[in-house]
């Protein structure tokens, strides 16, 4: 049934692809569109993060690690941060949930508006920020406890109401892990495969019902199959969460993200490295028709 | 057209013959290593043979349950063993919270407070360094010095506790506190920072992270450190002697306010007493002390192998 329904559409697309010049047809459809009510289906893009002129300087560093970073991230979007290593992608990401606060003496200037509120405002508590903005790290970092306890830890500390068994099950289901672990919830998380551990970390993060999930190269330590599973999971999670992902993998960024920010690192006169964003745009544009030649060189693999 | 032709296969000696002098030197070196090992092993075996031949015949259940006595035939170690037990109780209650709290401060908070951008931060940084260096130094201070400290501040002086087990246990606790702090810091440092970050990223506070993730993960390491510290404290004689503990005490201690008695003190008394009977008693008591020490160290090794987290 489904196949039959989809068939004509596919055929149409194919026909369209095969005949690039459809001048007549196009004009006709445009005319009808104008003739009817100007019903442009307008999707409102809700901005979650508005980063303005962000500059981060680590303690004892003589130059900022990142500087003049400005871009916006939208709700239910996957935003990819790409660029060569050391260009400040992780630094940028860790500002979004104030993890950089843990490195005493780190100086953050500029502004990050989260739903319009200044994330670094004087009355904002970093602990409260992290309850809303979760993070998944490069290397899976399960706690040395049972699978169940790994998930239950977050809900417990934030005093979440409800049946803990239910909370754990829901989180594991959302993390696409339930079927694999439902019979061994009491087992130590260290006995899982790397890919399962990373999905556990994602599920752990989902258990506290965040608004945004930050991921710092979540697949770089995983095999292609596990990577595929996590990519599928991210696309699914996009329905309910906004995701920012740092990735080294160009295909990954192209496959899953909606927007892409391309970072480069520039050297000042004293060879201090500072990362900046060269280009921020729709992922499709970045990968097919980038505005900056450095972006083009990077996405086509001419620059490491 | 070019063809490849195999070169004629003629044996040529390319590898030089063995250097017999180098080989000899190597053997000599190995022999020296084994000899060094054998010396310490031989000493240990000699000690064991001596103690066991003298002490084993006198070992009996009564020897453990009998009180101290001036008559060798009636003498047992009940008094001193109980004293040692109470000393260890005081010691544990003192060193675990204080040692662990110090370790947590130095590992988890010290660098955070020492924010180099502020004046107070720099002062705290200096204070931390000062404390760290001195803990290392204190671990190397001879135990008798702790006896002087205990006498001046606990037995007499400000606290004026008298020659009681509480004072003795605290003195032994001070003696091994640096060991506990150092072991605690190592155990905390062994917990990877990714665990702390993972916890904080879920919205846990620093205290929640330490109390519910870092400390539980560090328990095996801390427990091992505490047991090794106790096994050092249990054999200490000099500081207790300096506190003025009675060398002859026939009253079984009933708690931390009883007069100090301890197994090594009893051994010391018997060894100094004239006559083969007392020497045999000393040897028997040494066997008991050795057994206790071996048990404690076995527990430490077991804990380490069984529970220590492989990251
Ligand atoms: N904790 C830190 N302290 C000091 N410098 C740091 C720290 N973390 C990262 N840096 C520096 O900041 C720069 C950017 O690093 P990072 O954000 O990790 O880059 P990326 O994730 O793009 O590889 C690097 O030059 C790095 O050396
Ligand atoms: Mg990085």
């Amino acid at each position: 049934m489904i196949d039959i329904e989809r068939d004509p559409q596919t055929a149409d697309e194919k026909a369209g692809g095969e005949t690039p010049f459809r001048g007549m047809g196009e004009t006709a459809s445009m005319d009808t569109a104008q003739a009817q009510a100007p019903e442009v289906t307008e999707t409102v893009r809700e901005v979650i993060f508005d980063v303005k002129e962000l500059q981060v300087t680590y303690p004892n560093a003589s130059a900022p690690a990142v500087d003049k970073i400005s871009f916006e991230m939208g709700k239910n979007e996957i935003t990819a941060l790409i660029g060569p290593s050391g260009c400040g992608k992780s630094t940028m990401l860790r500002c979004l949930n104030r993890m950089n606060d843990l490195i005493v003496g780190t100086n953050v200037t500029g502004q990050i508006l989260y739903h319009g509120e200044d994330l670094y405002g004087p009355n904002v508590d970093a602990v409260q920020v992290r309850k809303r903005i979760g993070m998944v790290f490069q290397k899976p970092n399960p706690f040395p406890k049972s699978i169940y306890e790994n998930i239950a830890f977050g809900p417990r500390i934030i005093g979440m109401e409800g049946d803990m068994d239910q909370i754990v099950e829901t989180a594991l289901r959302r993390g696409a892990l339930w079927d694999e672990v439902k019979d061994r919830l009491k087992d130590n998380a260290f006995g899982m495969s790397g890919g399962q551990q990373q999905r556990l970390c994602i599920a752990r993060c989902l258990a506290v019902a965040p608004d945004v999930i930050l991921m710092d190269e979540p697949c770089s330590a995983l095999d292609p199959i596990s990577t595929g599973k996590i990519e599928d999971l991210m696309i699914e999670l996009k329905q309910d969460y906004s995701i920012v992902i740092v990735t080294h993998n160009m295909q990954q960024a192209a496959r899953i993200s909606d927007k892409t920010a391309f970072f480069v690192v520039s050297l000042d006169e004293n060879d201090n490295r500072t990362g900046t964003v060269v280009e921020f745009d729709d992922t499709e544009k970045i990968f097919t028709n980038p505005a900056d030649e450095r972006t083009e060189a990077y996405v086509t693999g001419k620059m490491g | 057209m070019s063809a490849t032709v195999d070169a004629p296969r003629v044996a040529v000696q390319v590898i030089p013959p063995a250097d017999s002098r180098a080989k000899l030197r190597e053997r000599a070196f190995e022999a020296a290593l084994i000899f060094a090992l054998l010396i310490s092993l031989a000493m240990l075996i000699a000690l064991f043979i001596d103690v066991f031949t003298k002490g084993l015949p006198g070992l009996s259940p009564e020897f453990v349950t009998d009180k101290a006595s001036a008559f060798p035939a009636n003498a047992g170690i009940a008094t001193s063993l109980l004293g040692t037990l109470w000393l260890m109780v005081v010691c544990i209650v003192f060193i675990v919270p204080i040692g662990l709290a110090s370790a947590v401060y130095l590992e988890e908070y010290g660098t955070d407070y020492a924010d180099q951008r502020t004046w107070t931060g720099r002062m705290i940084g200096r204070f931390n360094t000062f404390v760290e260096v001195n803990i290392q130094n204190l671990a190397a201070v001879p135990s008798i010095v702790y006896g002087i400290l205990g006498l001046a501040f606990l037995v007499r002086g400000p606290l004026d506790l008298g020659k009681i087990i509480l004072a003795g246990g605290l003195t032994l606790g001070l003696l091994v506190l640096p060991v506990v702090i150092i072991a605690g810091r190592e155990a905390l440092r062994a917990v990877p920072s990714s665990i702390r970050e993972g916890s904080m990223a879920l919205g846990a506070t620093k205290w929640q992270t330490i109390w519910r993730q870092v400390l539980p993960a560090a328990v095996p390491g801390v427990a091992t450190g505490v047991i090794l510290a106790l096994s050092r404290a249990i054999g200490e004689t000099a500081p207790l002697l300096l506190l003025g503990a009675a060398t002859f005490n026939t009253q079984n201690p009933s708690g931390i306010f009883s007069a100090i008695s301890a197994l090594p003190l009893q051994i010391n008394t018997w060894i100094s007493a004239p006559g083969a009977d007392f020497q045999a008693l000393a040897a028997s008591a040494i066997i008991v002390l050795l057994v206790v020490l071996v048990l404690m160290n076995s527990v430490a090794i077991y804990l380490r192998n069984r529970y220590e987290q492989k990251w």
Side-chain angles (χ1 to χ4, degrees):
Chain A
M1 278 301 286
I2 296 164
D3 275 6
I4 295 165
E5 272 176 12
R6 280 165 87 180
D7 258 340
Q9 218 184 351
T10 329
D12 199 39
E13 275 171 15
K14 271 186 189 155
E18 278 161 14
T19 47
F21 303 105
R22 292 192 301 167
M24 281 303 289
E26 248 174 13
T27 335
S29 65
M30 270 174 76
D31 279 346
T32 36
Q34 277 167 353
Q36 287 163 359
E39 205 180 85
V40 188
T41 45
E42 184 176 83
T43 45
V44 182
R45 179 165 178 260
E46 191 184 322
V47 172
I48 288 224
F49 283 118
D50 185 358
V51 182
K52 292 176 174 171
E53 291 290 312
L54 189 77
Q55 185 195 67
V56 182
T57 311
Y58 283 113
N60 306 321
S62 38
V66 293
D67 197 5
K68 300 191 185 70
I69 309 253
S70 300
F71 60 95
E72 294 178 351
M73 293 167 230
K75 192 173 168 65
N76 299 110
E77 284 178 4
I78 299 182
T79 307
L81 312 183
I82 63 169
S85 44
C87 65
K89 306 179 296 292
S90 299
T91 302
M92 170 68 237
L93 193 74
R94 293 163 61 90
C95 284
L96 295 176
N97 67 344
R98 295 194 47 178
M99 284 301 274
N100 280 336
D101 289 23
L102 302 186
I103 304 162
V104 175
T106 305
N107 196 21
V108 179
T109 63
Q111 230 181 10
I112 299 177
L113 298 181
Y114 170 64
H115 291 287
E117 188 183 359
D118 185 0
L119 210 55
Y120 282 83
N123 298 320
V124 177
D125 178 15
V127 170
Q128 300 304 325
V129 169
R130 295 185 203 119
K131 289 179 186 171
R132 307 285 301 133
I133 306 171
M135 187 165 215
V136 176
F137 298 82
Q138 179 165 4
K139 196 167 158 281
N141 58 346
F143 302 130
K145 298 179 187 299
S146 70
I147 295 171
Y148 185 97
E149 287 301 321
N150 260 275
I151 304 285
F153 174 71
R156 280 207 191 110
I157 50 161
I158 67 168
M160 205 178 244
E161 308 262 301
D163 177 23
M164 191 52 76
D165 291 355
Q166 196 54 53
I167 292 173
V168 170
E169 180 175 340
T170 309
L172 285 170
R173 280 189 192 281
R174 294 243 55 185
L177 196 59
W178 175 252
D179 290 333
E180 288 165 59
V181 301
K182 61 171 184 276
D183 300 321
R184 50 182 183 120
L185 292 177
K186 296 274 169 276
D187 290 6
N188 194 300
F190 278 54
M192 306 166 93
S193 74
Q196 287 175 327
Q197 289 187 5
Q198 194 62 303
R199 275 179 287 147
L200 180 71
C201 292
I202 295 174
R204 180 172 86 184
C205 170
L206 299 176
V208 294
D211 174 41
V212 184
I213 305 168
L214 310 176
M215 299 187 172
D216 195 347
E217 302 191 33
C219 302
S220 66
L222 306 182
D223 61 274
I225 292 175
S226 306
T227 302
K229 282 186 185 162
I230 289 180
E231 286 180 9
D232 292 345
L233 179 60
M234 279 191 264
I235 291 169
E236 204 189 304
L237 292 175
K238 198 172 90 163
Q239 312 301 325
D240 302 302
Y241 305 90
S242 312
I243 299 175
V244 186
I245 177 176
V246 171
T247 178
H248 250 115
N249 182 331
M250 289 305 109
Q251 288 99 320
Q252 185 170 63
R255 266 196 303 267
I256 63 172
S257 71
D258 303 290
K259 301 270 186 183
T260 297
F262 173 59
F263 284 66
V264 290
V265 56
S266 51
L267 300 176
D268 70 6
E269 59 275 14
N270 296 322
D271 279 355
N272 294 310
R273 299 157 66 85
T274 297
T276 46
V277 172
V278 164
E279 194 170 351
F280 174 70
D281 215 322
D282 290 339
T283 298
E284 206 185 325
K285 175 129 193 310
I286 294 274
F287 280 89
T288 56
N289 186 20
D292 194 289
E293 57 189 20
R294 287 169 291 177
T295 316
E296 170 144 34
Y298 188 72
V299 298
T300 54
K302 291 192 190 103
M303 168 184 146
Chain B
M1 195 171 167
S2 65
T4 318
V5 182
D6 283 357
R9 295 180 188 196
V10 189
V12 188
Q13 189 170 18
V14 188
I15 306 164
D19 181 347
S20 53
R21 283 185 57 198
K23 262 207 155 119
L24 200 69
R25 244 179 286 143
E26 201 165 303
R27 287 268 169 280
F29 189 57
E30 282 169 21
L33 293 180
I34 291 170
F35 181 69
L37 187 70
L38 284 180
I39 286 183
S40 52
L41 209 63
M43 299 286 275
L44 195 68
I45 289 170
L47 189 78
F48 271 28
I49 291 174
D50 181 51
V51 167
F52 277 79
T53 47
K54 280 191 202 152
L56 220 42
L59 270 187
S60 64
E62 291 78 49
F63 178 69
V64 180
T65 55
D66 278 351
K67 290 204 223 173
S69 164
F71 305 103
N74 300 338
I77 54 169
T79 311
S80 50
L81 201 57
L82 273 173
T84 287
L85 220 68
W86 280 114
L87 284 170
M88 291 304 111
V89 168
V90 173
C91 210
I92 289 186
V93 171
F94 175 55
I95 62 178
V96 171
I98 302 285
L100 206 51
S102 311
V104 167
Y105 170 78
L106 289 172
E107 274 309 307
E108 309 285 335
Y109 287 92
T111 45
D112 280 10
Y113 290 159
D115 184 349
Q116 294 302 306
R117 290 172 302 181
T118 64
W119 179 81
T120 43
R122 284 193 293 275
M123 290 307 286
I124 292 174
R126 276 195 213 143
F127 169 75
N128 292 346
T129 316
F130 175 79
V131 170
E132 280 170 32
V133 169
N134 277 291
I135 286 172
Q136 301 285 344
N137 288 342
L138 285 176
V141 167
S143 62
I144 197 147
V145 176
Y146 285 93
I148 300 171
L149 185 81
L151 181 66
F153 286 91
L154 301 172
V155 172
R156 298 179 193 156
L159 290 184
D160 201 15
L161 294 170
K163 300 170 194 172
I164 57 171
I165 284 180
L166 180 60
L170 290 177
T171 305
L172 294 180
L174 285 174
L175 168 70
V176 296
L177 198 52
V179 179
V180 176
I181 297 175
I182 291 167
R185 292 188 68 182
E186 264 161 27
L188 292 171
R189 221 175 303 145
V191 179
S193 59
S194 64
I195 295 300
R196 295 176 182 81
E197 291 200 325
S199 171
M200 301 287 282
L202 288 169
T205 60
K206 184 159 184 137
W207 173 244
Q208 285 171 324
T209 299
I210 291 171
W211 187 245
R212 304 177 72 154
Q213 295 292 355
V214 180
L215 281 179
V219 160
V222 172
T224 308
V226 169
I227 293 175
L228 293 181
L230 287 182
S231 69
R232 173 162 178 215
I234 208 170
E236 281 296 343
T237 323
L240 296 179
L241 279 175
L242 220 103
L243 292 186
T247 50
F248 185 68
N249 186 348
T250 55
Q251 192 75 41
N252 278 3
S254 57
I256 59 173
F257 299 108
S258 303
I260 297 174
S261 55
L263 204 47
L265 280 178
Q266 182 64 272
I267 293 169
N268 181 58
T269 309
W270 280 336
I271 283 182
S272 339
D277 286 352
F278 286 112
Q279 299 305 314
L281 285 173
S284 302
I286 288 173
I287 294 175
V288 174
L289 190 58
L290 281 177
V291 168
V292 173
L293 278 172
V294 168
L295 280 178
M296 286 171 79
N297 285 335
S298 312
V299 171
I301 291 169
Y302 173 77
L303 281 178
R304 186 153 53 201
N305 292 344
R306 173 71 180 74
Y307 292 104
E308 197 144 75
Q309 182 70 46
K310 313 272 183 302
W311 300 101

